[in-house]
Structure formats: C-alpha cells, structure tokens
Amino acid sequence: MTNNCLNCNNVIVDKFCSNCSQSTSTHRFSLPHVLQHDFIHGIFHFDTGFFYTIKELFTRPGHSIREYVQGKRVKHFNYFSTIILLLAIGYFLKKWTNLDASVLYEDKKQVEGVLKVLKEYSKIAIFLHIPIISFLSYLFFKKSNQNYTENLVLNLYLLCGTLVISFILIICMIFSDNKDFLLFVNYLLTALTFLYVIIFYYQFFSAFDYKKNELIIRVICLAILYLLTKQIMNNMLNIIGLKYFH
C-alpha cells in the first residue's frame, strides 16, 4: 500500500519519504503525543531549523504554522525547543542591560512581583496564558476543525513570535537608558504585538470556511483577548510575587 507524504506529497512506500525524509507516521496532534514526545524532544534534542522557523514566523507566520500543523514539519524547529532557546537568548541579552524593566513604570509595584516570579520560574510562567488562549481560539474557530491540542501548538508558535518582538525593548535597553525613549518603544511594541497576533491568526484561519468580514471580526476579538489574558496572568503573578517572593 502506498501513501503520499504530508510534507512534499511524494509517493511513499516505506517508513520515511525518499524525497524529504519525513516519517510516514505523521499524524494529528494529540495531548499524549505533545506531552510524551514533543515536550521531551523539545528539551533534549535541538534539530536543524531554528532560523528557518524564525524567518517563517515573520514572513508568513499563520500560513507556515498551519502547514506545520497539517503535516509539513521537516523544516521547522520544534516549538518547545524554540521557546527554550529564545528564553536563553533573552536571559543573555538582559545581562547586558543597564536598567531594570520596572523603571518604565511610575509605580514599580505594578511589575515588581511579576519580575521576581519570572526571575525564578520564567520557563513555567511564560506558558501560563497559553492553555487559556488556546481554549479561546478553539472556541472562536471551532468550525476550522482544529482540535484543542492543535490550537495549543499554534499558540506556542505565536508565543515564539511575540518573544522575538520583546527582544527589541531589551536591545534598546542595552544601548539607551533614556526613560522616555524606552517608554515609547514599549508602547510601540505593544501595538506591534497586537498587530502581529492579528496577522498570525488571520493567516492561520484564512484557509478555512470563514467569510472575510467574519474572519476579521473573530481575529480582532481573539487578539484583544490574547493581550487581556496575558495581562491578567501577569497581574496574578505580580500579586503572587509581591506576597511570596522576597
């Protein structure tokens, strides 16, 4: 029995595609697969494809990740690996900054707690809003027939894109200690992140059976909820940090 490769559509008769080497066992995402395979693989194996994935996240973010979810996975870097590597890069860049992010707020207690939590548990805290926003994207675009775990994966890649955007402020803080300038950059990046989330969701779900106006409305609403969910989680972490971290 022959099949067609989900990555390149080449006819395959063995366990691997002779054209692109993708495994014939490619299947839809499920929670056990994500936890047992991708999470462990993401931590202990760094395959090729990091720079390709970053490029795709800023040239055709939604389209490329939809293709990844649907089977074209050979070229992409694993989502957990990408996030962990980006966190490591962010940690390294922060070592070179002359300022703490709390200086951008008149009331330092607005972020003092969350910064304490992130200092100790960044690898956990960075993921906290993802299960919630994934459930919301699942509900908003249920007609797309993407299951919850597939929404989880697409939102993990979205997180990768927003992490890269956040590096802009960190880099600016390396070269400047002008508070007004950094505040402007911070506001600009908030707007840029909002626009990026809209583009990501629009591209991802544009291939499914949604009218353009309906798609735009759903995407904008979901993008707003994305930022609100993240802010709510940060507020909760800030309260926990101020109360329990010293």
Side-chain angles (χ1 to χ4, degrees), residues 181-240:
F181 168 70
L182 294 174
L183 276 171
F184 170 76
V185 172
N186 191 39
Y187 291 135
L188 184 64
L189 291 183
T190 300
L192 183 61
T193 300
F194 181 64
L195 180 61
Y196 179 79
V197 173
I198 289 175
I199 293 171
F200 186 101
Y201 283 137
Y202 183 86
Q203 287 190 1
F204 187 96
F205 293 106
S206 63
F208 301 102
D209 190 22
Y210 290 98
K211 294 180 180 178
K212 189 172 183 178
N213 290 339
E214 179 189 7
L215 179 61
I216 291 172
I217 292 171
R218 287 174 182 267
V219 162
I220 292 175
C221 290
L222 186 58
I224 293 171
L225 287 173
Y226 182 94
L227 295 183
L228 283 176
T229 302
K230 195 169 182 179
Q231 186 58 51
I232 290 170
M233 294 306 301
N234 284 341
N235 289 343
M236 292 175 63
L237 289 176
N238 194 53
I239 293 170
I240 293 170

Side-chain angles (χ1 to χ4, degrees), residues 54 57-58 61 83 86 126 129-130 154-170 189-190 192-198 200-201 226-227 230:
I54 298 300
L57 284 173
F58 287 93
I83 292 170
L86 288 174
I126 202 74
H129 69 291
I130 296 299
L154 76 90
N155 281 290
L156 285 169
Y157 273 117
L158 175 57
L159 173 61
C160 295
T162 60
L163 282 174
V164 174
I165 292 173
S166 71
F167 289 168
I168 297 174
L169 178 60
I170 301 174
L189 291 183
T190 300
L192 183 61
T193 300
F194 181 64
L195 180 61
Y196 179 79
V197 173
I198 289 175
F200 186 101
Y201 283 137
Y226 182 94
L227 295 183
K230 195 169 182 179

Side-chain angles (χ1 to χ4, degrees), residues 73-88:
R73 300 172 191 170
V74 167
K75 292 184 178 180
H76 278 283
F77 207 57
N78 174 275
Y79 38 91
F80 281 119
S81 299
T82 305
I83 292 170
I84 291 170
L85 186 53
L86 288 174
L87 287 174

Side-chain angles (χ1 to χ4, degrees), residues 8-238:
C8 68
N9 206 38
N10 189 57
V11 175
I12 48 179
V13 294
D14 209 339
K15 292 183 178 181
F16 295 92
C17 175
S18 60
N19 183 50
C20 70
S21 302
Q22 175 157 295
S23 171
T24 59
S25 63
T26 301
H27 48 73
R28 292 189 68 175
F29 286 102
S30 65
L31 202 54
H33 177 269
V34 166
L35 294 176
Q36 295 173 14
H37 177 266
D38 287 350
F39 180 70
I40 301 300
H41 182 85
I43 292 176
F44 297 107
H45 297 82
F46 285 84
D47 300 329
T48 59
F50 174 76
F51 291 108
Y52 172 83
T53 298
I54 298 300
K55 176 186 74 70
E56 290 290 284
L57 284 173
F58 287 93
T59 54
R60 45 193 303 273
H63 293 314
S64 64
I65 301 308
R66 183 184 64 251
E67 291 169 359
Y68 177 88
V69 169
Q70 293 176 341
K72 290 188 175 182
R73 300 172 191 170
V74 167
K75 292 184 178 180
H76 278 283
F77 207 57
N78 174 275
Y79 38 91
F80 281 119
S81 299
T82 305
I83 292 170
I84 291 170
L85 186 53
L86 288 174
L87 287 174
I89 294 171
Y91 178 80
F92 174 78
L93 289 175
K94 287 175 183 177
K95 291 289 185 181
W96 293 84
T97 59
N98 298 314
L99 298 172
D100 190 280
S102 62
V103 302
L104 301 179
Y105 298 83
E106 291 185 8
D107 183 3
K108 290 188 177 182
K109 287 190 176 181
Q110 288 181 302
V111 293
E112 187 179 348
V114 69
L115 290 176
K116 289 179 179 179
V117 175
L118 288 174
K119 187 176 181 180
E120 300 292 333
Y121 299 102
S122 62
K123 289 183 178 66
I124 298 175
I126 202 74
F127 292 106
L128 292 180
H129 69 291
I130 296 299
I132 299 171
I133 197 62
S134 298
F135 181 67
L136 292 174
S137 64
Y138 168 74
L139 292 179
F140 268 67
F141 294 98
K142 199 169 184 179
K143 194 167 63 174
S144 68
N145 201 33
Q146 304 298 290
N147 64 36
Y148 173 74
T149 309
E150 288 165 338
N151 277 273
L152 198 65
V153 171
L154 76 90
N155 281 290
L156 285 169
Y157 273 117
L158 175 57
L159 173 61
C160 295
T162 60
L163 282 174
V164 174
I165 292 173
S166 71
F167 289 168
I168 297 174
L169 178 60
I170 301 174
I171 293 170
C172 288
M173 291 174 70
I174 294 174
F175 296 101
S176 174
D177 58 0
N178 186 307
K179 184 178 177 181
D180 291 333
F181 168 70
L182 294 174
L183 276 171
F184 170 76
V185 172
N186 191 39
Y187 291 135
L188 184 64
L189 291 183
T190 300
L192 183 61
T193 300
F194 181 64
L195 180 61
Y196 179 79
V197 173
I198 289 175
I199 293 171
F200 186 101
Y201 283 137
Y202 183 86
Q203 287 190 1
F204 187 96
F205 293 106
S206 63
F208 301 102
D209 190 22
Y210 290 98
K211 294 180 180 178
K212 189 172 183 178
N213 290 339
E214 179 189 7
L215 179 61
I216 291 172
I217 292 171
R218 287 174 182 267
V219 162
I220 292 175
C221 290
L222 186 58
I224 293 171
L225 287 173
Y226 182 94
L227 295 183
L228 283 176
T229 302
K230 195 169 182 179
Q231 186 58 51
I232 290 170
M233 294 306 301
N234 284 341
N235 289 343
M236 292 175 63
L237 289 176
N238 194 53

